[in-house]
């Protein structure tokens, strides 16, 4: 059996270098590799970091899978899944099997990419002082973001029971080179995983520059701050969430796009972090805009598997342009957010930071940065929606649903607010993905989630 497939971790560095550098195509994967030889120079570390970004952009990760899986699992007939892929239909219906391929690949690709970051972090002594901090910050951002996504998907919500006891996912913080008994690791607790996520992202914020010389699609200080805001909000640490969001907003690095349609263009000024897709990458499994694949109809080169229902569209006011941001074909309705097949994939954007700050300030009866009403109305004004004269928590949560629909935040919002998906409670077993059966079969220290 292939070792990579068996354990879900990328074995050694040779596989990364094969995918990241054509000149090394003759390097053969192996069960054991001397990492000190594989990463012998700063160029090798840079190539490996490029491989980590390539992994992050995989269709099962931020290339789209993380976003659409969270939306489908948290959906209550805002959309209908009309496609033929049984694994996605299972997720939408909340009947996920332990052999579900999408859940398996989220785990596998997540850990493969984390291992690439671990290789970078273990070889920082090969990097000159000019780039060392940036390389470390980028690797920590990727690792922290992925552990956050994995623990949300495969563990109980932070507000469900006791995080210090609930099983999360295994923390692997050093490169996996030789696979043996030591690689059969138990699940760390939810609290332990969150602590590692915060450690990685906090250090990333300290180390990363405000902008990257090599352009968009690379982690920056703002990206780390925005991800910290998400993590703290999920933990219900509202002061820390507000302050992280406020640092993004007041940095001046990002501005709201002038129109809602302009948000979803490749030159949008409010994208804090995104996966950059090119024409060349679009034909490859690691570079396809998977949100286009499932949300856009054939007219825009997608499959049109996810169709928007009246239940969702009726939430918008008459003047709200977001309520018309759809395409109707043969009485089937599709969001216009992802119509560009080679469009960059949004991960986190400035509008979300305004809404995080608004919610946190409202909960804390504070006005740090701006009053909650002002922040919510800033988002509504861009959409042409009627301004509110007063704002409640329900107003802010609804605004998140209207503004961020289909971008991967629905399930997380339902869980952290102890809501429901229809009649399904936020802490129901079937709103947590099963540990993939292939992992259970090969790692006897893993414990399956309840209900599976």
């Amino acid at each position: 059996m292939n070792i990579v497939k068996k354990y879900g971790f990328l074995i050694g560095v040779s596989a990364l270098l094969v995918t990241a550098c054509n000149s090394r195509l003759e390097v053969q994967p192996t069960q054991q590799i001397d990492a000190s030889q594989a990463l012998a120079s700063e160029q090798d570390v840079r190539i490996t970091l490029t491989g980590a970004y390539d992994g992050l952009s995989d269709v099962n990760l931020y290339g789209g899978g993380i976003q659409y899986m969270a939306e489908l699992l948290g959906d209550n007939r805002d959309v209908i899944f009309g496609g033929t892929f049984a694994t996605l239909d299972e997720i939408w219906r909340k009947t996920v099997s332990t052999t579900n391929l999408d859940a398996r690949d989220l785990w596998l690709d997540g850990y493969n990419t984390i291992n690439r970051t671990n290789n970078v972090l273990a070889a920082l002594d090969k990097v000159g002082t000019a780039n060392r901090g940036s390389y470390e910050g980028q690797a920590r951002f990727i690792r922290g973001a992925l552990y956050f996504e994995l623990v949300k998907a495969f563990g109980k919500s932070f507000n469900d029971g006791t995080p210090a006891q609930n099983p999360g996912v295994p923390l692997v913080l050093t490169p996996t080179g030789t696979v043996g008994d030591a690689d059969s690791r138990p699940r760390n607790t939810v609290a332990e995983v969150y602590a590692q996520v915060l450690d990685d992202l906090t250090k990333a914020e300290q180390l990363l520059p405000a902008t990257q010389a090599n352009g968009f699609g690379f982690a920056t200080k703002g990206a780390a701050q925005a991800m910290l805001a998400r993590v703290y909000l999920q933990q219900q640490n509202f002061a820390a969430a507000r302050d992280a969001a406020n640092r993004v907003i007041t940095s001046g690095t990002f501005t709201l796009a002038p129109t809602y349609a302009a948000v979803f263009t490749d030159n949008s000024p409010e994208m804090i972090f995104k996966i950059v897709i090119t024409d060349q990458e679009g034909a490859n499994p690691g570079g396809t805009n998977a949100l286009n694949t499932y949300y856009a109809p054939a007219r825009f080169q997608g499959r049109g598997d996810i169709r928007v229902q009246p239940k969702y569209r009726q939430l918008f006011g008459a003047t709200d342009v977001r309520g018309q941001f759809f395409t109707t074909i043969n009485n089937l309705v599709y969001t216009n957010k992802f119509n560009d097949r080679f469009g960059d994939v949004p991960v986190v954007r400035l509008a979300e930071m305004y809404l995080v700050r608004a919610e946190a300030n409202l909960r804390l009866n504070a006005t740090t940065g701006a009053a909650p009403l002002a922040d919510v109305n800033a988002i509504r004004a861009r959409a042409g929606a009627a301004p509110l004269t007063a704002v409640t928590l329900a107003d802010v949560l609804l605004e998140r649903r209207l503004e961020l629909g289909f971008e991967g935040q629905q399930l997380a919002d339902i869980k952290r607010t102890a809501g429901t998906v229809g009649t399904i409670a936020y802490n129901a077993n079937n709103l947590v993905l099963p540990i993939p059966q292939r992992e259970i079969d090969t790692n006897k220290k893993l414990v399956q989630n309840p209900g599976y």
Side-chain angles (χ1 to χ4, degrees):
M1 177 180 292
N2 182 288
I3 295 296
V4 172
K5 290 290 187 182
K6 181 177 180 182
Y7 281 95
F9 303 133
L10 185 65
I11 306 310
V13 186
S14 62
L16 329 170
L17 301 181
V18 168
T19 60
C21 181
N22 289 338
S23 66
R24 301 192 178 193
L25 285 175
E26 60 276 4
V27 178
Q28 296 299 315
T30 179
Q31 294 185 22
Q32 184 172 354
I33 186 166
D34 186 343
S36 65
Q37 293 179 6
L39 273 70
S41 68
E42 180 170 330
Q43 180 182 9
D44 290 335
V45 179
R46 183 173 64 251
I47 290 170
T48 306
L49 181 59
T50 299
Y53 278 109
D54 183 65
L56 191 68
S57 71
D58 190 273
V59 293
N60 300 300
L61 300 180
Y62 281 144
I66 286 172
Q67 295 93 317
Y68 65 67
M69 287 176 67
E71 292 291 328
L72 290 174
L73 196 59
D75 176 67
N76 179 33
R77 300 287 171 157
D78 282 350
V79 301
I80 284 179
F81 181 77
T84 58
F85 291 123
T87 54
L88 291 181
D89 190 63
E90 283 184 2
I91 293 169
W92 179 61
R93 295 181 186 276
K94 291 73 166 159
T95 57
V96 185
S97 66
T98 60
T99 56
N100 184 284
L101 297 181
D102 286 274
R104 181 203 69 180
D105 290 344
L106 171 59
W107 178 288
L108 174 64
D109 293 338
Y111 275 106
N112 280 349
T113 302
I114 286 168
N115 197 55
R116 300 180 191 192
T117 67
N118 288 340
N119 277 293
V120 171
L121 294 169
L124 288 173
D125 61 331
K126 305 296 194 302
V127 181
T129 56
N131 292 323
R132 188 178 303 162
S134 178
Y135 284 18
E136 180 180 354
Q138 291 177 74
R140 284 186 177 273
F141 171 81
I142 294 170
R143 187 172 72 177
L146 284 179
Y147 269 126
F148 180 48
E149 300 298 346
L150 289 172
V151 76
K152 284 191 299 177
F154 295 100
K156 288 187 175 183
S157 182
F158 198 85
N159 57 316
D160 179 7
T162 307
Q165 297 177 3
N166 291 338
V169 295
L171 284 173
V172 184
L173 304 177
T174 56
T176 302
T178 304
V179 173
D181 291 340
D183 296 295
S184 292
R185 303 170 190 248
R187 298 170 67 178
N188 289 80
T189 67
V190 168
E192 288 171 335
V193 179
Y194 268 83
Q196 182 60 49
V197 168
L198 290 174
D199 182 68
D200 274 341
L201 294 177
T202 299
K203 289 176 179 173
E205 180 186 2
Q206 295 167 353
L207 292 166
L208 287 169
T211 59
Q212 289 283 8
N214 44 2
F216 295 108
F218 295 90
T220 62
K221 188 179 296 294
Q225 292 165 339
M227 201 61 69
L228 278 168
R230 277 187 179 174
V231 177
Y232 284 129
L233 190 66
Q234 206 65 27
Q235 285 187 308
Q236 300 182 332
N237 184 342
F238 299 115
R242 173 201 61 197
D243 293 346
N246 191 54
R247 292 197 296 275
V248 179
I249 296 167
T250 59
S251 71
T253 306
F254 311 96
T255 58
L256 291 176
T259 66
Y260 195 63
V263 171
F264 303 98
T265 60
D266 287 350
N267 59 354
S268 170
E270 73 176 72
M271 288 298 172
I272 301 170
F273 186 72
K274 62 183 180 179
I275 299 300
V276 176
I277 304 295
T278 68
D279 290 357
Q280 290 74 28
E281 291 175 323
N284 297 325
T288 300
N289 184 334
L291 298 179
N292 167 269
T293 300
Y294 294 111
Y295 281 104
R299 176 186 298 175
F300 300 106
Q301 300 169 301
R303 291 174 51 90
D305 289 342
I306 302 176
R307 295 112 186 222
V308 184
Q309 298 302 291
K311 179 175 179 286
Y312 178 71
R313 291 181 285 131
Q314 290 166 359
L315 297 173
F316 297 91
T319 63
D320 194 330
V321 298
R322 297 172 299 188
Q324 288 86 47
F325 204 59
F326 303 101
T327 293
T328 302
I329 301 174
N330 297 327
N331 294 321
L332 300 177
V333 181
Y334 309 91
T335 178
N336 284 344
K337 287 189 174 184
F338 316 116
N339 284 346
D340 186 354
R341 178 185 179 191
F342 301 118
D344 298 338
V345 182
V347 176
V348 59
R349 55 189 179 89
L350 186 62
E352 182 183 344
M353 296 299 101
Y354 277 95
L355 295 173
V356 170
R357 188 171 71 175
E359 179 181 342
N361 269 330
L362 190 61
R363 290 180 182 274
L364 297 169
N365 193 27
T367 58
T368 297
L373 180 62
D375 277 343
V376 171
N377 277 338
I379 302 304
R380 291 179 64 81
R382 195 259 302 278
L388 303 179
T389 57
V391 65
T392 65
L393 180 59
D395 292 329
V396 178
L397 295 176
L398 175 60
E399 201 63 36
R400 287 181 62 90
R401 192 174 173 194
L402 301 179
E403 177 71 21
L404 304 175
F406 319 120
E407 296 179 49
Q409 298 308 301
Q410 176 153 292
L411 183 61
D413 281 352
I414 290 170
K415 288 188 174 184
R416 69 179 178 82
T417 59
T420 61
V421 180
T423 60
I424 303 173
Y426 79 100
N427 56 356
N429 292 336
N430 60 344
L431 294 184
V432 179
L433 294 178
I435 305 300
Q437 189 62 47
R438 56 184 293 277
E439 304 299 327
I440 295 289
D441 291 342
T442 55
N443 180 354
K444 301 306 179 184
K445 293 183 180 180
L446 287 178
V447 176
Q448 184 57 274
N449 283 325
Y452 297 101

